Amino acid sequence: QVQLVESGGGLVQPGGSLRLSCAASGRPFSIYAMGWYRQAPGKQRELVATISNMAVTNYADSVKGRFTISRDNAKNTVYLQMNSLKPEDTAVYYCNKVSPWSNWGQGTQVTVSS
């Protein structure tokens, strides 16, 4: 049972950067693989990046080389550093355990536009 609160989204121009944070509560936290997901209007939710309990990371092809997922277990927080943002990155971003999913949070809106 994990509660999740996402933050850090906003409006940014193409090529800009944002850092998203996901604050998680519940025990245990450190053993869970965590992921960032996103959902654009009219599209299905997609997996963006994952980080295992051992800090092994994986990324969707669309964000490789631009996004970095990290975690701070002492702060019960997962981060997503997003660089070189593109309009196609516009979506609501969510975090969650990779499997099984906990209840979804509200997400944080990322809008990339000129």
Side-chain angles (χ1 to χ4, degrees):
Q1 189 172 355
V2 177
Q3 295 170 299
L4 304 161
V5 180
E6 301 93 344
S7 63
L11 175 63
V12 65
Q13 295 192 38
S17 297
L18 286 172
R19 181 186 292 271
L20 307 185
S21 297
C22 171
S25 63
R27 51 151 62 93
F29 171 78
S30 62
I31 70 171
Y32 295 124
M34 300 293 294
W36 281 97
Y37 306 77
R38 67 186 181 187
Q39 186 167 25
K43 295 185 177 181
Q44 295 293 309
R45 181 182 286 113
E46 64 174 340
L47 182 62
V48 174
T50 63
I51 183 165
S52 76
N53 63 316
M54 299 298 292
V56 177
T57 60
N58 283 283
Y59 300 92
D61 288 341
S62 59
V63 307
K64 284 181 179 177
R66 300 188 298 120
F67 291 10
T68 303
I69 187 172
S70 61
R71 67 192 301 161
D72 186 338
N73 290 336
K75 297 182 178 180
N76 292 336
T77 302
V78 181
Y79 304 95
L80 186 68
Q81 177 66 46
M82 306 187 296
N83 299 325
S84 302
L85 283 162
K86 304 175 180 179
E88 306 90 89
D89 297 317
T90 296
V92 178
Y93 284 71
Y94 304 87
C95 66
N96 212 325
K97 296 186 296 175
V98 172
S99 181
W101 288 331
S102 295
N103 291 337
W104 296 96
Q106 288 284 82
T108 185
Q109 175 72 235
V110 172
T111 303
V112 185
S113 176
S114 298

